[in-house]
Amino acid sequence: MKSMFWKNNTLNILDQVKLPHGVEYIQAKDVDTVAEAICCLSVRGAPAIGAAAAYGLVLGALSINTKDTNIFLKELKQIKDKLLSTRPTAVNLKWALERLMSIAKQNVNLQIDDIKEMLLDEANRIFNKDVEVNQKIGEYGCELVPDNVIILTHCNAGALATAGFGTALGVVRAAHYKNKKVHVYSCETRPLLQGARLTTWEMLEEGIPITLITDNMAGYLMVRKKVDLVIVGADRIALNGDVANKIGTYSLSVLAKEHKIPFYVAAPVSTIDFELESGEQIPIEERAKEEVTHIKGMSIAPEGIDVWNPAFDVTPATLVDAIITEQGIMRKPYKENFEKIK
Ligand code: MRU
């Protein structure tokens, strides 16, 4: 099942809001539909957001009707800014959009139709390369996974969150393909339940044993079920190794430390923000209060209750035992090691 695919100038987006009970694709023919799909999490997960935004920019470019390159670039920049404002934390969004913008800027001497074609080629490259990158992450990560292992994960860092294979779940997949006996525990991941809805679905489709827990069961799970390792994905990693990921990740890292369980992050190099020194500078998205006060449209809290709803948290590098990338397994000192792979 692909998180998205491009066909006949349309981006087909698997609507993850409908999963696991419905498999439906949104047919995005314009940039606004893509922007809306990113905002409402129909497409989500840092690498998938990056790829969808790249295709969104292509759709925007196709709709620009001018022969003047300056006007084309000006309108393209406005479309880029619209896509960039959809979700602030996942750096892959900025990374992908900037890659396309620089292609457009470098080729201003070409015909606008040729530039549009080059933008589509680049979006395809970002999408296709992501699968390869995730397979490499899986290969490296597999070295950290013993046989007969219990792995705890959070949110969904799988094929659904990427162009395919996944990052944290890519490591799980790779171990499974190597015939290692793996049992996954998935935190449900309130408020939007990516763990309950998506990770469980993805692992069941793959035939990998999985057990669902609510987020507040993780500590007791570590005590009772002897969790061997925690693997999560990332939305943005600062130069010092601080990791922004789905809200609840930080709590898991603290619990892992207390229980002496290795805590690993699996992410592509494109998730490292080489411009940010530390996690304190990572912008953390805050979302609508209804995501906390309601489940599936049903109110679960007193009307008008005050709510805080950060979508991500930051796990300090001190609690991250290793960051698994397509270029190898990174360990402390992260800054020094990241500079080598920049
Ligand atoms: O809000 P989401 O569902 O986009 O959050 C996704 C995550 O936090 C993932 O763990 C992260 O993007 C890595 S996906 C390979």
Coordinates of all heavy atoms in Angstrom, one line a residue, residues 172-173 175-177 179-184 199-211:
V172 N 12.3 -2.6 12.0 CA 11.6 -3.8 12.4 C 11.4 -4.8 11.2 O 11.6 -6.0 11.3 CB 10.2 -3.4 12.9 CG1 9.2 -4.6 13.1 CG2 10.3 -2.6 14.2
R173 N 11.0 -4.2 10.0 CA 10.8 -5.0 8.8 C 12.1 -5.7 8.4 O 12.0 -6.9 8.1 CB 10.5 -4.0 7.7 CG 9.1 -3.9 7.3 CD 8.8 -3.3 6.0 NE 7.3 -3.2 5.9 CZ 6.6 -2.2 6.4 NH1 7.2 -1.1 6.8 NH2 5.3 -2.2 6.3
A175 N 14.6 -6.6 10.2 CA 14.9 -7.7 11.1 C 13.9 -8.9 10.9 O 14.4 -10.0 10.8 CB 14.7 -7.2 12.6
H176 N 12.7 -8.6 10.6 CA 11.7 -9.6 10.3 C 12.1 -10.4 9.0 O 12.0 -11.6 8.9 CB 10.3 -9.0 10.1 CG 9.2 -9.9 9.7 ND1 8.7 -10.8 10.5 CD2 8.5 -9.9 8.5 CE1 7.7 -11.5 9.9 NE2 7.6 -10.9 8.7
Y177 N 12.5 -9.6 8.0 CA 12.9 -10.3 6.7 C 14.2 -11.1 6.9 O 14.4 -12.1 6.1 CB 13.2 -9.2 5.6 CG 12.0 -8.4 5.2 CD1 12.1 -7.3 4.4 CD2 10.7 -8.9 5.4 CE1 11.0 -6.5 4.0 CE2 9.6 -8.1 5.0 CZ 9.8 -7.0 4.3 OH 8.7 -6.3 3.9
N179 N 14.5 -13.0 9.3 CA 14.0 -14.1 10.1 C 14.3 -14.0 11.6 O 14.4 -15.0 12.3 CB 14.6 -15.5 9.6 CG 14.0 -15.8 8.2 OD1 12.8 -15.5 8.0 ND2 14.8 -16.4 7.4
K180 N 14.5 -12.8 12.0 CA 14.6 -12.6 13.5 C 13.2 -12.6 14.0 O 12.3 -12.1 13.4 CB 15.3 -11.2 13.8 CG 16.8 -11.2 13.4 CD 17.5 -10.0 13.8 CE 18.9 -10.0 13.4 NZ 19.7 -8.9 13.7
K181 N 13.1 -13.1 15.2 CA 11.8 -13.2 15.9 C 11.5 -11.8 16.6 O 12.3 -11.5 17.5 CB 11.7 -14.3 16.8 CG 10.3 -14.7 17.3 CD 10.3 -16.0 18.0 CE 9.0 -16.3 18.6 NZ 8.9 -16.0 20.1
V182 N 10.6 -11.1 16.0 CA 10.3 -9.7 16.6 C 8.9 -9.6 17.1 O 8.0 -10.1 16.4 CB 10.5 -8.7 15.4 CG1 10.3 -7.3 15.9 CG2 11.8 -8.8 14.7
H183 N 8.7 -9.0 18.2 CA 7.4 -8.7 18.7 C 7.3 -7.2 19.0 O 8.1 -6.7 19.8 CB 7.0 -9.5 19.9 CG 5.5 -9.4 20.3 ND1 4.6 -10.4 20.1 CD2 4.8 -8.3 20.7 CE1 3.4 -10.0 20.4 NE2 3.5 -8.7 20.7
V184 N 6.4 -6.5 18.3 CA 6.3 -5.0 18.5 C 5.2 -4.7 19.5 O 4.1 -5.3 19.4 CB 6.0 -4.4 17.1 CG1 5.8 -2.9 17.2 CG2 7.1 -4.7 16.1
T199 N 0.2 2.0 12.9 CA 1.3 1.1 13.1 C 0.7 -0.3 13.2 O 1.3 -1.3 12.7 CB 2.1 1.5 14.4 OG1 2.7 2.7 14.0 CG2 3.1 0.5 14.7
T200 N -0.3 -0.5 14.0 CA -1.0 -1.8 14.1 C -1.4 -2.4 12.7 O -1.1 -3.5 12.4 CB -2.2 -1.8 15.0 OG1 -3.0 -0.7 14.5 CG2 -1.9 -1.5 16.4
W201 N -2.0 -1.5 11.9 CA -2.5 -1.9 10.6 C -1.3 -2.4 9.7 O -1.4 -3.4 9.1 CB -3.2 -0.7 10.0 CG -3.9 -1.0 8.7 CD1 -5.0 -1.7 8.5 CD2 -3.4 -0.6 7.4 NE1 -5.3 -1.7 7.1 CE2 -4.4 -1.1 6.4 CE3 -2.3 0.2 6.9 CZ2 -4.2 -0.8 5.1 CZ3 -2.2 0.4 5.6 CH2 -3.1 -0.1 4.7
E202 N -0.3 -1.5 9.7 CA 0.9 -1.8 8.9 C 1.6 -3.1 9.3 O 2.0 -3.9 8.4 CB 1.9 -0.6 9.0 CG 2.6 -0.4 7.8 CD 3.6 0.8 7.9 OE1 3.2 1.9 8.2 OE2 4.8 0.5 7.7
M203 N 1.7 -3.3 10.6 CA 2.4 -4.5 11.0 C 1.5 -5.8 10.8 O 2.1 -6.8 10.4 CB 2.8 -4.4 12.5 CG 3.8 -3.4 12.8 SD 5.5 -3.8 12.2 CE 5.6 -3.0 10.6
L204 N 0.2 -5.6 10.9 CA -0.7 -6.8 10.6 C -0.6 -7.1 9.2 O -0.5 -8.3 8.8 CB -2.1 -6.5 11.0 CG -2.4 -6.4 12.5 CD1 -3.8 -6.0 12.8 CD2 -2.1 -7.7 13.2
E205 N -0.6 -6.1 8.3 CA -0.5 -6.4 6.8 C 0.8 -7.1 6.5 O 0.9 -7.9 5.6 CB -0.4 -5.0 6.1 CG -1.7 -4.3 6.1 CD -2.6 -4.6 5.0 OE1 -2.2 -4.5 3.8 OE2 -3.8 -5.0 5.2
E206 N 1.9 -6.8 7.3 CA 3.2 -7.4 7.1 C 3.4 -8.8 7.7 O 4.3 -9.5 7.5 CB 4.3 -6.4 7.6 CG 5.7 -6.7 7.2 CD 6.0 -6.4 5.8 OE1 6.3 -5.2 5.4 OE2 6.0 -7.4 5.0
G207 N 2.4 -9.1 8.6 CA 2.5 -10.4 9.4 C 3.5 -10.3 10.5 O 4.0 -11.3 10.9
I208 N 3.7 -9.1 11.0 CA 4.7 -9.0 12.2 C 3.8 -8.9 13.5 O 2.9 -8.1 13.5 CB 5.6 -7.7 12.0 CG1 6.4 -7.9 10.8 CG2 6.4 -7.5 13.2 CD1 7.3 -6.7 10.4
P209 N 4.1 -9.8 14.4 CA 3.3 -9.7 15.7 C 3.3 -8.4 16.4 O 4.4 -7.8 16.5 CB 4.0 -10.8 16.6 CG 4.8 -11.6 15.6 CD 5.2 -10.8 14.5
I210 N 2.2 -7.9 16.7 CA 2.1 -6.6 17.4 C 1.0 -6.6 18.4 O 0.0 -7.2 18.3 CB 1.8 -5.5 16.3 CG1 1.8 -4.1 17.0 CG2 0.6 -5.7 15.5 CD1 2.2 -2.9 16.1
T211 N 1.3 -5.9 19.5 CA 0.4 -5.7 20.6 C 0.2 -4.2 20.8 O 1.2 -3.4 20.9 CB 0.9 -6.4 21.9 OG1 1.2 -7.7 21.6 CG2 -0.1 -6.3 23.0

